[in-house]
Amino acid sequence: MDVVVRSAEQITPRIKSFELNDPAGAPLPEFEAGAHVDVTLPNGLVRSYSLLNHPGERNRYVIAVLREEAGGGGSAWMHDSLKPGDVLSITPPQNRFELDEGGDHNFLIAGGIGITPILSMAERLDELGIDFKLYYCTRNREETAFAELIEERFGERHVFHHDGGLREQMLDVEALLRVREPGTHVYVCGPPGLITAVRNAAHDWPKGTVHFELFGSGRVEIATENKPFDVHLKRRNLTFHVPADRTILEVLAENDVRVRSICREGYCEVCTTRYVSGKVDHRDSVLDPEDRKTMMQICVSRALPDETLVLDL
Ligand code: FES
């Protein structure tokens, strides 16, 4: 579907938000808290962006984009070239990060650009009158997107945690999640380190109460549509074709190149592999931005379009 950009606003030095409308002013398809749309960029790349506005709104979708210099160029194009009046091609909203409206108490934890789906969830819980507290982790006040809006909308139900970008000053999620009342859910969206910390702290919570989605340096820049690509193994001097419906790990196994794996979903770190060249479409939920410059999880991650990956195997 096509949408028209109604407004573009610089929210923080690195985050810009865009309001999208139906070109004819018609109501947009409904969405639920946590939903995203896939945006097709002029270079054919597909990017996923969460809808951050109130899920009851039908007149607009609001997305926010973190500028990532190390990404595939998608966020830079959104920041530099997309302007009011432009038409964007998007998918209708889809949801892989659903809000369970049956929870009695909810921790909403966001890191950086991961605030986007969490904001929509907070709006929905507020509307339903369900208990929640929003924890928003950023480096400092300047990089805290929608700070005034959050203060105004959610009052004492929010906590800003500024860590100065230092891991040792990260929100103490273990202490936060140590005491859990019955019927409590936790939702976390942000960089891999934050997600891992929450999942570890809540490892013994009942099934279905811990919800997470990777954002920050990874999720936002995921090309959601699988494309085929070639992978070259440097030490063996072998090249394999990875079809759209296969992972690197599967293709290597079929060709008798064994790499250890356990979860095959990008979170156990067992299949971590060093790559030598090529741009990676990181889809794991564990590697931090520094690790991602040289390592990838070959059970889930792929090559960005038109890239050939060279692995240190
Ligand atoms: S097998 Fe677990 S991250 Fe790849």
Side-chain angles (χ1 to χ4, degrees):
M1 57 187 278
D2 282 347
V3 286
V4 64
V5 179
R6 175 148 188 275
S7 60
E9 191 182 345
Q10 196 75 42
I11 300 293
T12 73
R14 291 198 305 146
I15 295 177
K16 208 164 179 176
S17 81
F18 300 89
E19 181 178 324
L20 312 173
N21 293 170
D22 180 88
L28 292 162
E30 286 178 25
F31 71 97
E32 293 171 347
H36 69 275
V37 293
D38 290 341
V39 177
T40 303
L41 303 177
N43 60 4
L45 235 46
V46 178
R47 303 297 195 212
S48 298
Y49 296 107
S50 289
L51 302 178
L52 62 90
N53 51 314
H54 190 300
E57 293 181 347
R58 300 286 304 280
N59 62 326
R60 62 179 192 153
Y61 295 151
V62 185
I63 59 173
V65 180
L66 172 71
R67 186 184 187 106
E68 295 198 89
E69 303 301 346
S75 63
W77 182 85
M78 299 280 281
H79 271 247
D80 298 340
S81 304
L82 192 62
K83 55 186 190 315
D86 287 351
V87 173
L88 264 190
S89 172
I90 67 170
T91 61
Q94 308 157 58
N95 204 343
R96 290 192 294 254
F97 189 39
E98 288 173 15
L99 179 67
D100 182 339
E101 296 181 354
D104 298 321
H105 311 282
N106 299 275
F107 288 102
L108 304 180
I109 303 175
I113 190 65
I115 189 62
T116 49
I118 294 290
L119 259 186
S120 178
M121 288 176 169
E123 290 285 6
R124 177 63 180 158
L125 291 171
D126 177 66
E127 178 180 53
L128 294 171
I130 297 174
D131 179 51
F132 73 90
K133 190 128 188 183
L134 164 58
Y135 295 84
Y136 183 15
C137 308
T138 58
R139 281 170 187 245
N140 48 45
R141 173 81 187 193
E142 196 189 17
E143 298 203 32
T144 305
F146 310 106
E148 285 86 22
L149 171 91
I150 292 168
E151 286 166 344
E152 194 179 303
R153 289 284 300 118
F154 308 124
E156 291 184 353
R157 292 174 295 171
H158 86 278
V159 172
F160 291 149
H161 179 86
H162 302 314
D163 57 21
L166 300 171
R167 197 175 274 244
E168 56 273 23
Q169 289 178 22
M170 197 172 130
L171 178 70
D172 187 351
V173 288
E174 204 179 321
L176 184 67
L177 303 179
R178 198 168 290 143
V179 180
R180 180 183 61 82
E181 291 184 61
T184 302
H185 287 243
V186 59
Y187 297 83
V188 57
C189 185
L194 181 65
I195 291 176
T196 304
V198 169
R199 293 179 69 195
N200 287 342
H203 71 276
D204 56 351
W205 284 32
K207 200 165 183 279
T209 60
V210 181
H211 314 260
F212 62 94
E213 184 166 59
L214 177 67
F215 258 75
S217 55
R219 174 72 175 73
V220 174
E221 290 297 325
I222 283 173
T224 51
E225 196 185 335
N226 282 358
K227 294 260 170 60
F229 60 95
D230 287 342
V231 62
H232 180 73
L233 309 191
K234 189 178 164 208
R235 291 194 230 168
R236 292 170 171 83
N237 195 23
L238 292 172
T239 299
F240 300 113
H241 184 67
V242 182
D245 62 346
R246 314 291 288 161
T247 65
I248 299 176
L249 187 72
E250 289 167 343
V251 169
L252 296 192
E254 284 159 12
N255 289 283
D256 292 325
V257 180
R258 302 284 165 208
V259 176
R260 274 194 69 227
S261 62
I262 294 179
C263 74
R264 301 191 177 195
E265 291 183 8
Y267 63 81
C268 75
E269 293 189 74
V270 169
C271 73
T272 304
T273 301
R274 183 176 298 279
Y275 65 94
V276 180
S277 65
K279 282 192 181 154
V280 178
D281 176 3
H282 290 283
R283 300 184 180 191
D284 66 277
S285 48
V286 283
L287 295 178
D288 64 29
E290 200 49 40
D291 291 336
R292 286 180 169 196
K293 290 178 184 164
T294 54
M295 313 293 271
M296 67 182 292
Q297 243 76 50
I298 61 169
C299 64
V300 287
S301 296
R302 308 180 65 81
L304 280 168
D306 304 322
E307 291 285 326
T308 294
L309 292 181
V310 179
L311 304 182
D312 188 19
L313 288 174

